[in-house]
Amino acid sequence: MAVPTLNLRALTSWLGIARLLAVLLSCVAFSLVASTGSFGDPYGTWCMFSWCLCFAGTLLVLLAELLELCSLLPLSWDDLTSAFSMLAALMVFTTSVVFPSTFISGPCRGSVCARQAVATAASCLCFLAYALEVGLSRARPGDISSFLSTVPGLLKVFEAYVACLIFSLLDGYSSTAGLQWCVAVYSICFIVTLLIIIFTIGRCLSYMPCPLEKILVGYNGLAFLMYLTATILWPLYSFKDSQRPDPCGKDCLWNKRLGVTFLTIFNLIAYSVDLVYSTRMVFIRTPT
């Protein structure tokens, strides 16, 4: 009978240590917030979901590598873990900003506020742990064996995540053709980017009719132009003859549209950097 072996390096390497820290800190964050019982609104639910998802996902990654189950999965394991660590870093970063701005206001008094403050600190440290994991697992220049661990691959995860944030803020756009075009831009680019991520993890890139690098150049160029139009049209039609109401709370339509404006700019910058990197991959070859 075969004796199961353990890959202890999955826990003792720098990458394993970063993952262990992420598991510990995310557990601390959601446990402290759960003990307060005050996380019932949509923002609190999102924060709890983010911490729990990152905790469970990272724990599963550690167990799979410890038990050497990675090779049994019909997936590109390096691409999967790189995409997940980038997604987890973005989710925990968002949570580290949203949670204290929503639940901690004014001077912190009492045990509930103290636990919320410690949870925020743990969340910030958890983000640093995931950022370290992303840095340790990132592919070196010239190595494209694991696409999602390269800069263009990590940017794909960033672009898809920012698009999801944009979708969460969309409201009141159906009456204006310019805003409808912007929503179409966000949707089309999100779907194509998500398909690239899924095909990469599922090892389906070999079925594409032309090399991935050339596809990325064409797609990133088109996505950049589409986001450029959205960057101009969204604020033009959103704030035309409109002033910020007073008061304007966290669910205020004006604030949501302002958030979409900034997120559109972030994705425009991401697609422009992505276009530069993908162009270099095709037209600038490293001498051998």
Side-chain angles (χ1 to χ4, degrees), residues 162-284:
V162 172
C164 290
L165 294 182
I166 290 175
F167 294 144
S168 70
L169 296 175
L170 288 178
D171 195 7
Y173 59 85
S174 58
S175 60
T176 308
L179 297 182
Q180 290 176 358
W181 163 253
C182 295
V183 174
V185 169
Y186 304 143
S187 303
I188 293 171
C189 293
F190 170 74
I191 292 172
V192 176
T193 300
L194 185 62
L195 286 176
I196 291 174
I197 295 173
I198 293 173
F199 286 169
T200 303
I201 295 175
R203 295 176 177 173
C204 299
L205 297 178
S206 58
Y207 299 105
M208 292 186 175
C210 58
L212 175 65
E213 295 86 350
K214 295 182 179 180
I215 294 176
L216 289 177
V217 171
Y219 167 64
N220 289 333
L222 179 61
F224 171 78
L225 293 176
M226 293 175 69
Y227 259 91
L228 183 61
T229 63
T231 304
I232 297 171
L233 293 177
W234 181 268
L236 178 65
Y237 286 98
S238 293
F239 305 113
K240 184 179 180 180
D241 301 326
S242 174
Q243 292 184 346
R244 188 175 188 271
D246 188 20
C248 187
K250 59 185 180 181
D251 293 323
C252 175
L253 179 60
W254 198 95
N255 279 351
K256 289 183 177 180
R257 289 184 169 180
L258 183 63
V260 172
T261 301
F262 281 105
L263 291 172
T264 302
I265 296 172
F266 292 158
N267 247 2
L268 175 67
I269 296 173
Y271 277 110
S272 63
V273 176
D274 203 353
L275 177 61
V276 171
Y277 268 93
S278 58
T279 302
R280 289 181 59 187
M281 289 171 64
V282 173
F283 298 106
I284 302 178

